[in-house]
Amino acid sequence: MNRPKIVVLGTGGTLAGSSHSRSDNVGYTAATLSISQLLGEIDALRDLPLVTEQVAQIDSKDMDAAVWTRLAQRCAHWLAQDDIQGIVVTHGTDTLEETASLLQALLAPVKPVVLTCAMRPATALAPDGPQNIVDAIAVARWPGARGVVAVCAGAIHGPLDVRKTHTYRLDAFSSGDAGPLGYVEEGGVRLLRSWPQPDASSHSAMAALADGGDWPWVEIVSSHGGADGRAVQALVAAGVRGLVVAGTGNGTIHHLLEAALRKAQQQGVRVVRSTRCAQGVVLGHADGSFESAGGLSPVKARLALQLELLATATAPPARAG
Ligand code: SIN
């Protein structure tokens, strides 16, 4: 019988990066080596049934809606094949958390989609990419694994909690208060919490993307000392559809910025309140003025709002009666 396969989708990042000097871990160029070149260097993968596809070749700071759409569509394509057990996506660390939350929301997969990355380029003296790839493939092959997760430095993180929290260390990701979903150790998974569960709202935005729907324009504005409403006024005048405010503390907002956001809301712009704090959730504001992002970080709240606007823009009109 044919063994189920794992698909490895390459998108670039430091994991696929190279430098002229093996001892230089910061002055490299991201996304120079193909996914087949990278896997070809890893002996431990030689006998595994893998399929590779280069979906993109970018530094993930340059991630955009076109690459996200293509990645989601390629994941959906492969997940639908009976002989595919799961997917691994190699990705830059800088926007990995955004892609993780987006793919979970769009795909809600019953098979595993495992994002992995590296903090050092492939040419480093001691690159971390090969071990992360081996670990990610072990997770994708693990019986019962499902949903979108991120694997880095031996930890398995859920798509909503994971955040890049360090600029340099190999263990650059954290799941904050929630902690990791588990660990991958010598090819085995030690699961501490359940795999990500699907969210009922997922598929309408995916259908809208398949229909060629445009991603609505949603921006993040930050509250800080000296903030005022001018950026919001400019964004509204330019046609922004949604605003996520990264508030101070429990989502509090400078009064001048808040006044501008209220006005934007009256003009039909959706406003979501999140926090600059790296941990915790935005707890209810008595006046109920703006929707709360809950535990989503500003960048993830931005994507969630985009998907919501995308799905509602293309939803069929409600039937009367
Ligand atoms: C990137 O995000 O593509 C570059 C940085 C990294 O992968 O660590």
Side-chain angles (χ1 to χ4, degrees), residues 160-161 163 177 244-245 247 249-251 271-285 290-298 300-302 304:
L160 301 186
D161 298 313
R163 277 175 99 134
D177 291 348
V244 173
V245 53
N250 184 31
V271 180
V272 172
R273 185 196 296 270
S274 67
T275 174
R276 304 179 342 186
C277 291
Q279 296 205 38
V281 301
V282 175
L283 297 167
H285 282 255
F290 304 125
E291 304 162 57
S292 167
L296 291 182
S297 64
K300 292 184 187 185
R302 190 191 83 86

Side-chain angles (χ1 to χ4, degrees), residues 21 37 102 106 165 183 232 237 262 297:
S21 159
Q37 281 175 297
L102 179 78
L106 284 173
T165 53
Y183 296 98
V232 168
R262 281 180 197 272
S297 64

Side-chain angles (χ1 to χ4, degrees), residues 32-297:
T32 59
L33 301 167
S34 70
I35 191 60
S36 10
Q37 281 175 297
L38 292 168
L39 298 191
E41 295 293 316
I42 306 176
D43 287 346
L45 303 178
R46 210 134 277 165
D47 297 326
L48 293 181
L50 303 177
V51 179
T52 60
E53 183 180 323
Q54 195 76 48
V55 173
Q57 187 66 308
I58 59 166
D59 186 321
S60 82
K61 72 178 174 56
D62 298 325
M63 181 56 77
D64 60 19
V67 175
W68 271 328
T69 301
R70 179 163 167 73
L71 179 60
Q73 288 173 339
R74 294 314 294 158
C75 285
H77 164 82
W78 287 113
L79 288 168
Q81 317 291 317
D82 288 340
D83 61 340
I84 299 302
Q85 184 175 2
I87 296 177
V88 168
V89 179
T90 60
H91 199 291
T93 58
D94 287 346
T95 56
L96 180 143
E97 68 211 59
E98 292 172 62
T99 301
S101 70
L102 179 78
L103 291 182
Q104 178 64 24
L106 284 173
L107 303 168
V110 292
K111 294 178 184 179
V113 175
V114 185
L115 274 66
T116 195
C117 55
M119 289 297 285
R120 291 181 183 158
T123 50
L125 280 174
D128 52 330
Q131 185 64 54
N132 285 344
I133 291 175
V134 168
D135 287 350
I137 290 173
V139 172
R141 300 179 71 219
W142 195 252
R146 63 176 292 164
V148 179
V149 296
V151 167
C152 182
I156 308 167
H157 297 278
L160 301 186
D161 298 313
V162 67
R163 277 175 99 134
K164 185 172 179 180
T165 53
H166 205 281
T167 55
Y168 184 71
R169 283 190 208 134
L170 303 192
D171 193 0
F173 289 87
S174 165
S175 288
D177 291 348
L181 294 186
Y183 296 98
V184 52
E185 297 159 336
E186 297 298 304
V189 168
R190 179 159 58 93
L191 200 63
L192 306 176
R193 298 193 281 126
S194 27
W195 298 102
Q197 299 301 310
D199 164 348
S201 64
S202 56
H203 297 292
S204 40
M206 193 66 193
L209 288 179
D211 287 347
D214 282 336
W215 292 58
W217 183 24
V218 177
E219 284 291 341
I220 300 170
V221 292
S222 173
S223 190
H224 49 82
D228 63 31
R230 283 175 294 174
V232 168
Q233 287 154 10
L235 287 165
V236 173
V240 79
R241 299 275 317 284
L243 291 167
V244 173
V245 53
T248 36
N250 184 31
T252 52
I253 305 169
H254 190 291
H255 69 101
L256 294 176
L257 179 59
E258 180 159 2
L261 289 168
R262 281 180 197 272
K263 189 157 178 219
Q265 202 174 37
Q266 284 155 10
Q267 292 170 282
V269 175
R270 286 276 298 275
V271 180
V272 172
R273 185 196 296 270
S274 67
T275 174
R276 304 179 342 186
C277 291
Q279 296 205 38
V281 301
V282 175
L283 297 167
H285 282 255
D287 64 359
S289 46
F290 304 125
E291 304 162 57
S292 167
L296 291 182
S297 64

